[in-house]
Each structure stands twice: as structure tokens, then as C-alpha cells.
Amino acid sequence: MVPEKTRAAHDETSEEQRSGKTPDHEKQYVGFATLPNQVHRKSVKKGFDFTLMVAGESGLGKSTLVNSLFLTDLYKDRKLLNAEERINQTVEIIKHTVDIEEKGVKLKLTIVDTPGFGDAVNNTECWKPITDYIDQQFEQYFRDESGLNRKNIQDNRVHCCLYFISPFGHGLRPVDVEFMKALHEKVNIVPLIAKADCLIPSEIRKLKERIREEIDKFGIKVYQFPECDSDEDEEFKQQDRELKESAPFAVIGSNTVVEAKGQRVRGRLYPWGIVEVENQAHCDFVKLRNMLIRTHMHDLKDVTCDVHYENYRAQCIQQMTSKLTQDNRIESPIPILPLPTPDTETEKLIKMKDEELRRMQEMLQKMQQQMQDQ
Amino acid sequence: MEPPAVPEEEEEEEEKEGAVPLSMAPGPVGCQLFGYVGIEAVLDQMKIKTMKTGFEFNIMVVGQSGLGKSTMVNTLFKSKVSRKSSQPGQEERIPKTVQLQSITHGKVTTTGLCPTSPWDKQGTGLGACSCVHSLKTSPTPGALLFPNVSSPLTHLCPTVIEEKGVKMKLTVTDTPGFGDQINNENCWDPIIKYINEQYERYLREEILITRKRKIPDTRVHGCVYFVPPTGHWLRPLDLEFMRRLSRIVNVVPVIAKADTLTLEERAEFKQRIQEDLKTHTISVYPQEDFDQDPEDRALNDRIREKIPFAVVGADQEHQVNGKRVLGRKTKWGIIEVENPAHCEFPLLRDLLIRSHLQDLKDITHNVHYESYRVRRLNESNRPGLSPLNGLPGKGEASSHL
């Protein structure tokens, strides 16, 4: 009886839907549970954007890793500099933008590269161009956000910075520490151990411990993975725990596909064996990719918007207001402010009026006093 | 030209009263011997003598920290000494014949040289002490990550190794902290100063009136420079260092930790390094200018094609195919250090020890030391100088490039 009823009900429902009336069992159901689907559909249409910065000394495999992560060949036209060009090399900022689409979801990926970082003999303040760039992007977003036409704001803020630590040292080098301290409050830093195929497992363990200790010691705030909710299932929690324990990730990248055990895999072919990039026993590449793209991409963007950008904005506004009260001449750090900026004449007038008001108030108070006394 | 059939002594007499003035003589005339004279026994006499006195060899290892310099030196001299049979199935740590581990990171702070000179009065110095000295004040170990002073040098007291009756007094100088700071300008200065100080010491001994029969030789015979395996090119720091040092000492560049490069990457990297060296006219050992004859040149050319050697150092042994080999064990295979298909460590070892050790010493003595000497004597060319007084005092002792 019951199945028939429900079937009948279902038939009724569709009939009623077709005739435009609300079926009974849907009357208690408001329907906002479909909101995530709506958001999903809209986002798919709009597409996502993500800006990733890679930083570290030359020759640590940054370009190769980026190619491996996104399975594209962003750097195929790269030409390595010759000797003369290298002598006067300074730190540059180079942006590559690529549109990737997978199963209907579009991603506009921007990779910000920093060639020349840490390569010179004297590397004092070599991170300055990078901090300047990040600040510029924040400033531009701030201006756009405070502007009048906010329909198509382009978000060029850097969402994540992958910092490559050299595996040849005994931990963090002075350059590494200074760079991370200069940037940890402006961008999400994810430290990585580069070229991990030159380390045997015990060395990797020791190096990771050492780096973790030094990060704590110097008070560097790297990107922290958010805690998973208590209602997530055990498997997810286990994965999350493993992820946190393997930071910083020891990664290997490869542009070439080799044959290993009858399968074609991304890897590096050595005379003594084959390193498979996507083999979890060989390196943490899979963990990094999952974290960066599959699970934490949105969180990275949120932290950038909510924490780093807000810090910048608060600092900026504070600077502006303190300057306004200090100087006679208004010198706003942002050249074009949407707020009405009074020029010097009106400023003077306003000040005069303020003075007058104050004097009148004082006089009023005196008169009141006199009246009271009388 | 008919060779005069005369024995050696008569030939000498002839030259003295000969019609041909010496200045026009084309050179010593070869002559044929009728019988066995025994000239070649000189070789045996030399051999016995040198075995008694032993050899001295001083090398310096330079490079950023963590590139495996200490491990490399251990591997170099461990693989030379014959190993006793070890228990099978155990990973064995090499017993260190060279005490290098103790010289890392900021030890004893004594300025100047060790008061207990390692050389005895005859200058043969076969005793070895196990203390470690710094030539400059070095910072406390905890602060080594950011030392304010540029890299201190640590000088290992000579250790004697022996093989088949031949004794070698080996001194290794390490340079911890080189190139690790943010601002590395002039980090090569302490090294240059050290090398020149050794030349100075030798020069002073040589100039004395009553000088020792065998002057203790602390001059650096070879400097092994470790290039990080970036795979791209030589960094500005590498170029600056090698340019300055190849003028005063034999520099042997090697690619450190080469197990991170595949064979193609290795070949490309080497080619780029060779181009770089050529562009900047840096002449590393074996230098082209000092090839003495075509045979030498052919041999050295073959070596020059392979410079810089891509090396891997290891101090642990593993079982491979029933043999115990030195290597590194990773999840994807075992890298055998002494396997020429895996890395070029055997080539480096052969170059430094088996074939070119004497050549390194000769070039240091005949070329680098001589040019230092000429420079110094020209500088100190004033009334106070003469072999009677020795060189002027300490204040003018150090010269610099």
C-alpha cells in the first residue's frame, strides 16, 4: 500500500508541478538547502581565479614544480641567461597567466615568479621588490574597492606564496628567515623543501624537524591548515593529521614522463632507480597538490581576504587618518580617494569656523555660569 | 748527425773544451750507451728516500654549508686505506682516519697559530695531535647561523695516513660558514689571507741563513670548490671566488650532491659551467698553460672535458649484490659512490691522489709560490731587506691581491 501511495504521490507531485500547484510534502520544506547548488552553478559560470607566487633561489626546481602541479608547460619559452646578463641581474617579478578548464570549471591561474631572488653576492633586502609587489596589489584592490564602479574588480592579490628551501643546507639560511619574516603578515607562506630526491629518508626527517624548530624559534607565521570540524569522518581527520605532520613538504618535480613498472609516470630517471613524483613514499608532492588545489584553495583565498588584506587596509587607513590630523596639507598615501578631499582653502575655512564655534561655545558656557551664579 | 760513441764522463769534458760555445749549443746531446750503466737505479734511491721522509699534502675544501664537504673528505681518504674485513650484514660507519667532524662550527678561539707546533725539530713531523684550532676567533656555536664575522677557517692538525709503507701527512682545511650570510661580499678574504700566510711562512723559512733541510710545507696544494647542483649555471659568488683564487692556488671545482641531477642535466650543467669558466677566463686545475708535453696535454685534455666532476659522498656501507659498497640508500635505489656509472667520485679520487698529487704540489711550488715570492720580494725591495736580516717585520707580512 505504502509504495503505491508514494508512487502515486510522486505522480501527483509531478502532475501538480506541471499544473503549477505546490505539492503537499513540499509545503514544510522551504527550499534554501539548494543554495549551495545555486552558488555552485553561478561560480562555475563565473570561474575562479587564483594567484600563486613562487620564491626561492635559482635552480631549486620552482618552474618544474609549477609545471608538475598544474600539468601545463608554462615555461617552455624560457631562455636561461648567459654570463654577462647574469652579472647585473636584479630581482624581477614576472607574471604568467593561464586559463585552465576542467570538467566545465574554469580557473584563471596567475603564477608570479621571482627570478634573481637570493642569487647575488650581496642579497641585502633582496625581498623588497617582492613585498613592494604584494603591497601594490593590495593597494590596487583597496582603491578599486573604495571606488564608484565596483562591478568588475580584478583580484590580483597574491593568495599563496610557495617558498622553496634548499635541501643542501642544515635548516633555514639567513636569507630564508629574513624573507619569511618580511612576508608572513602579508601573504600565506607555504614552505617547501625543494629537490628532495637528494635526501635519504632519515635526512628528510631531520631536516623537517630542524626547519619546524627554527620556524618556531624565529616566530615566523606560516600558513596554518584550519582545524577540521568535529563532525568530519575519521578518514578525513586522519588525512588532515598526516598533512599537518608532514609540513614542510619535501617535494620533487618533473617535466618528463618515464616508464616505471610498466606504467608511464611522471618521474626522474637515474642510473640507480626511478623517482616517481606522484608516489607518496617517494615525496610529498601529492600532499602538496591536494592541499593547494583540491582541499585548501578556497581557504587560502579566504585567509588572504580576511586576514592579510584587512591588516593592510587597517594599516593604510590608520596612516591616512594620522596624517590628516598631523599636517595642514593633506597628503594622502593614496593619490585618488573616493572621499571628498577638501583643498587647502576650504580646510582653512573649516578650521576657522571650528575655532569660532569653540569660542562661541565657551562664551555660552560662561554666560550659563553667570546666570547660575546669579 | 752521428752520435759520438763516448761514455758520459768524456762527453762532459768535451763540452768544456768544445769548439761550440755553450750559448749556441742546442741542448744536451743524447748519446748511446754501450752497456748497462745503472742510471735507472737513481729512481729506486729516490723512492726509498721519499718513503722514509714521507709526503705532505694539504688540501682545502670550500663551499656553502651542507654541501657534503666533510663527508667527501672522509670518503676520499677512507676509500684509499684498505678496509679490514667487516661483519657481514651490518651497516658500518667508516672509522675516521681524518678527524673532520670535530672541526665543524665554531670551536676553540685562539687567534694566531697553535702554540704546540705539530712539527718536530727535524721538520719531519710524524706525530699527530688530535686538537683542533681556529685561525680566527669564531663565534659561539649557537650564533653560527648568523655569524657577524666572515667565515672562520679551521685547520686540522696533520694526521698521518699510511699505505704500503708510504706515509702521508695530510692536512685538511675546512671553511665553515662560507657564503652562508645574506651579504657575502668579501667572504673570500679570510681564505686568501690564509693561503698567503702559508706562502709567507715558507718564504721566511727559505730566506733564513741556516735553514732547515726540509722546510715544513703548509702551503695549500689544492682547493676543492663545491658548486651547488642547481643545474643552471655558476652563481656570481662561485665566479667571484674562483676568479680570485685560481690565481693563487690550484682550484678543483666539483659539483656537490650530484645525486639530484639526472645524467642529461649533469651533462648540460657541466657544459654551461665550462662555458662560464671560459668566458670569465678562470683557469682551474689542470691549467692549460702548464702542460709540459703533448702526452701530458692529451691526458689533461681528457680530464678537462669532464671538469667539474659530479660527485656524491657517503659514509655508510650497504649490501649490493653480495658486496659491501659505500653508498646512499633511498626508496628508489642505492647510489653507489664508487661506481663510475653513478657518479664521478672515482675520477676525483684518482685525480687528487693517484695520478696528480705530485703534480699539484709541483705547480704549487713552481708556479703559485714563485709568483708570490716575486711579488713579495719586489714589494720589500728596500734597504732593510737582505737574506741576512730576513724579511721585514710582521706589520708588512701580509700581501693581498
Side-chain angles (χ1 to χ4, degrees):
Chain A
M1 283 280 281
V2 172
E4 279 179 9
K5 211 174 164 189
T6 44
R7 216 177 0 155
H10 179 76
D11 288 337
E12 271 179 44
T13 318
S14 32
E15 264 185 43
E16 287 177 356
Q17 273 182 344
R18 268 179 265 141
S19 61
K21 283 190 270 179
T22 344
D24 278 344
H25 71 268
E26 281 193 359
K27 284 197 179 131
Q28 287 111 19
Y29 169 61
V30 180
F32 57 78
T34 58
L35 269 173
N37 290 345
Q38 297 176 27
V39 171
H40 182 253
R41 267 197 303 253
K42 282 218 162 171
S43 325
V44 166
K45 269 199 228 160
K46 191 170 127 186
F48 297 92
D49 59 12
F50 190 65
T51 307
L52 178 70
M53 175 183 272
V54 286
E57 284 180 0
S58 295
L60 286 179
K62 304 187 289 289
S63 324
T64 314
L65 188 75
V66 168
N67 283 342
S68 308
L69 269 176
F70 296 101
L71 293 177
T72 57
D73 203 359
L74 283 176
Y75 293 91
K76 62 176 171 303
D77 296 329
R78 181 170 74 157
K79 185 175 66 86
L80 292 179
L81 304 176
N82 66 25
E84 287 98 46
E85 286 165 1
R86 262 182 273 136
I87 292 180
N88 297 321
Q89 190 186 35
T90 50
V91 181
E92 291 169 28
I93 307 273
I94 297 188
K95 271 169 54 169
H96 300 266
T97 309
V98 85
D99 284 314
I100 312 180
E101 182 170 331
E102 194 184 60
K103 292 199 185 139
V105 181
K106 295 194 204 68
L107 174 69
K108 178 162 158 267
L109 175 70
T110 310
I111 308 280
V112 180
D113 202 353
T114 55
F117 175 80
D119 285 340
V121 178
N122 184 354
N123 290 314
T124 318
E125 303 250 314
C126 61
W127 48 84
K128 198 147 183 315
I130 302 176
T131 47
D132 285 346
Y133 175 79
I134 296 180
D135 283 340
Q136 263 172 34
Q137 306 312 308
F138 279 157
E139 185 188 307
Q140 168 157 37
Y141 193 80
F142 185 34
R143 265 196 261 156
D144 288 345
E145 199 187 44
S146 328
L148 295 173
N149 185 356
R150 305 206 293 185
K151 271 208 199 118
N152 292 320
I153 304 184
Q154 262 216 343
D155 186 5
N156 289 325
R157 297 173 293 182
V158 179
H159 298 125
C160 177
C161 175
L162 294 179
Y163 186 68
F164 288 69
I165 299 174
S166 167
F168 310 125
H170 294 299
L172 293 179
R173 293 221 176 105
V175 187
D176 301 336
V177 176
E178 292 300 313
F179 175 86
M180 290 204 272
K181 279 172 78 164
L183 258 76
H184 64 167
E185 298 197 324
K186 294 185 197 277
V187 75
N188 299 317
I189 298 186
V190 177
L192 302 174
I193 300 177
K195 289 202 170 175
D197 53 354
C198 77
L199 298 170
I200 60 182
S202 57
E203 290 171 355
I204 293 188
R205 250 196 326 265
K206 267 191 248 160
L207 186 61
K208 281 191 186 184
E209 268 175 35
R210 186 87 192 263
I211 292 182
R212 276 198 287 252
E213 272 173 28
E214 287 177 356
I215 287 183
D216 279 336
K217 186 167 90 161
F218 291 107
I220 298 173
K221 301 189 205 120
V222 294
Y223 172 68
Q224 303 288 344
F225 307 121
E227 298 296 331
C228 48
D229 305 321
S230 49
D231 58 351
E232 297 282 356
D233 57 6
E234 230 353 273
E235 197 192 309
F236 190 79
K237 281 197 197 164
Q238 170 70 11
Q239 273 185 359
D240 194 59
R241 243 191 316 235
E242 278 176 23
L243 200 71
K244 290 194 181 133
E245 278 164 23
S246 4
F249 298 127
V251 292
I252 302 172
S254 164
N255 280 333
T256 52
V257 177
V258 295
E259 183 106 6
K261 295 181 211 137
Q263 279 185 328
R264 292 179 66 75
V265 289
R266 247 174 202 257
R268 291 171 65 75
L269 176 65
Y270 290 114
W272 47 84
I274 299 183
V275 179
E276 295 166 43
V277 164
E278 294 184 7
N279 184 337
Q280 296 235 30
H282 287 187
C283 72
D284 296 330
F285 174 78
V286 174
K287 292 206 182 82
L288 172 69
R289 185 182 56 192
N290 288 345
M291 189 278 292
L292 196 60
I293 302 177
R294 294 182 193 174
T295 48
H296 288 71
M297 187 186 263
H298 207 76
D299 186 59
L300 284 165
K301 290 178 70 167
D302 280 345
V303 174
T304 311
C305 292
D306 298 340
V307 179
H308 300 297
Y309 173 65
E310 291 300 315
N311 279 344
Y312 173 82
R313 193 167 163 275
Q315 258 179 19
C316 221
I317 295 184
Q318 241 183 12
Q319 267 181 359
M320 273 164 49
T321 48
S322 67
K323 282 209 165 179
L324 272 175
T325 51
Q326 273 175 21
D327 306 338
N328 279 330
R329 249 182 344 115
I330 295 169
E331 226 179 71
S332 106
I334 296 180
I336 306 167
L337 266 190
L339 309 167
T341 52
D343 54 325
T344 28
E345 305 289 316
T346 6
E347 244 290 293
K348 278 197 195 135
L349 265 173
I350 293 177
K351 280 217 162 142
M352 267 168 43
K353 302 280 181 195
D354 276 342
E355 288 286 314
E356 270 189 53
L357 257 172
R358 218 167 26 94
R359 267 182 266 133
M360 286 177 48
Q361 272 178 352
E362 278 171 18
M363 274 173 42
L364 255 173
Q365 271 182 357
K366 276 194 208 144
M367 281 167 39
Q368 277 176 354
Q369 284 263 311
Q370 285 174 1
M371 277 169 45
Q372 272 183 0
D373 293 342
Q374 283 172 1
Chain B
M1 191 172 116
E2 39 178 328
V6 287
E8 265 189 270
E9 302 91 277
E10 289 192 8
E11 191 198 42
E12 282 182 26
E13 278 179 29
E14 257 197 55
E15 276 192 18
K16 282 184 200 145
E17 43 186 77
V20 179
L22 275 173
S23 54
M24 281 178 52
V29 179
C31 79
Q32 241 182 14
L33 298 174
F34 279 133
Y36 176 69
V37 178
I39 302 170
E40 62 167 359
V42 170
L43 287 174
D44 285 333
Q45 297 171 26
M46 262 178 57
K47 213 165 141 184
I48 296 173
K49 213 166 198 190
T50 46
M51 271 175 65
K52 268 202 216 150
T53 49
F55 291 90
E56 284 169 318
F57 190 50
N58 309 317
I59 76 173
M60 176 186 273
V61 283
V62 185
Q64 280 187 319
S65 65
L67 284 179
K69 304 186 289 290
S70 320
T71 313
M72 175 54 57
V73 177
N74 276 339
T75 322
L76 260 178
F77 291 101
K78 161 61 184 168
S79 60
K80 186 186 193 302
V81 176
S82 57
R83 287 190 285 266
K84 298 208 180 72
S85 61
S86 50
Q87 294 125 358
Q90 250 188 1
E91 276 186 21
E92 190 187 78
R93 285 238 153 212
I94 304 175
K96 293 185 172 53
T97 53
V98 177
Q99 294 172 21
L100 263 192
Q101 293 303 339
S102 52
I103 71 173
T104 47
H105 306 310
K107 278 278 178 180
V108 178
T109 57
T110 51
T111 43
L113 299 167
C114 172
T116 64
S117 165
W119 291 281
D120 59 18
K121 296 219 170 39
Q122 280 81 37
T124 50
L126 291 182
C129 62
S130 57
C131 56
V132 164
H133 316 283
S134 298
L135 291 179
K136 274 184 78 145
T137 50
S138 42
T140 55
L144 193 72
L145 195 52
F146 306 91
N148 292 323
V149 295
S150 47
S151 59
L153 292 172
T154 52
H155 170 109
L156 179 67
C157 266
T159 311
V160 175
I161 351 183
E162 179 171 337
E163 189 184 62
K164 293 198 187 136
V166 180
K167 295 194 190 66
M168 181 160 88
K169 187 165 81 180
L170 171 73
T171 309
V172 179
T173 309
D174 195 358
T175 54
F178 173 81
D180 284 337
Q181 275 64 261
I182 297 183
N183 184 357
N184 289 316
E185 271 172 11
N186 302 324
C187 61
W188 44 77
D189 277 349
I191 299 175
I192 294 181
K193 192 157 158 239
Y194 172 76
I195 295 177
N196 286 334
E197 270 171 19
Q198 307 314 306
Y199 287 150
E200 182 68 26
R201 255 214 275 176
Y202 195 88
L203 184 61
R204 293 231 199 130
E205 288 287 340
E206 212 184 33
I207 284 190
L208 288 179
I209 303 172
T210 48
R211 50 188 188 186
K212 300 187 186 146
R213 240 176 100 219
K214 182 165 162 25
I215 304 177
D217 191 1
T218 55
R219 300 170 296 185
V220 177
H221 299 129
C223 172
V224 184
Y225 185 71
F226 286 71
V227 175
T230 57
H232 290 318
W233 50 59
L234 284 178
R235 300 167 304 157
L237 177 64
D238 303 331
L239 287 168
E240 287 293 314
F241 179 85
M242 285 204 270
R243 190 155 50 93
R244 282 155 213 263
L245 254 77
S246 55
R247 290 189 214 138
I248 57 174
V249 75
N250 298 319
V251 175
V252 181
V254 295
I255 301 177
K257 295 207 168 172
D259 53 347
T260 190
L261 297 170
T262 60
L263 294 179
E264 302 92 41
E265 291 169 354
R266 223 189 256 181
E268 275 177 25
F269 190 33
K270 276 199 207 190
Q271 214 193 9
R272 283 201 213 112
I273 291 185
Q274 284 169 358
E275 277 173 22
D276 267 352
L277 292 176
K278 216 177 287 175
T279 318
H280 288 91
T281 58
I282 299 174
S283 63
V284 295
Y285 184 82
Q287 294 97 334
E288 279 178 348
D289 310 324
F290 309 136
D291 286 338
Q292 281 167 343
D293 50 37
E295 218 179 80
D296 261 355
R297 184 159 304 138
L299 179 65
N300 286 345
D301 274 344
R302 258 177 291 151
I303 296 177
R304 275 189 281 265
E305 275 169 34
K306 300 222 169 98
I307 292 265
F309 296 127
V311 295
V312 177
D315 56 2
Q316 281 188 327
E317 287 189 346
H318 303 275
Q319 283 279 91
V320 172
N321 296 337
K323 284 188 303 173
R324 296 192 64 74
V325 288
L326 279 175
R328 289 169 64 75
K329 185 163 182 200
T330 59
K331 289 245 162 73
W332 44 88
I334 297 187
I335 304 163
E336 296 167 43
V337 165
E338 286 173 9
N339 184 341
H342 287 190
C343 79
E344 291 172 349
F345 171 76
L347 290 178
L348 176 70
R349 179 195 51 201
D350 291 348
L351 179 80
L352 279 184
I353 301 176
R354 291 187 191 167
S355 52
H356 285 68
L357 194 147
Q358 191 56 38
D359 190 45
L360 281 165
K361 292 177 67 171
D362 285 341
I363 293 189
T364 308
H365 182 68
N366 296 333
V367 178
H368 297 297
Y369 172 66
E370 285 303 311
S371 51
Y372 176 80
R373 186 168 165 275
V374 164
R375 251 201 328 262
R376 276 295 278 135
L377 294 182
N378 279 337
E379 271 174 27
S380 331
N381 214 352
R382 32 194 124 142
L385 169 68
S386 75
L388 293 172
N389 300 333
L391 287 174
K394 263 194 207 166
E396 295 149 313
S398 60
S399 74
H400 48 85
L401 291 172

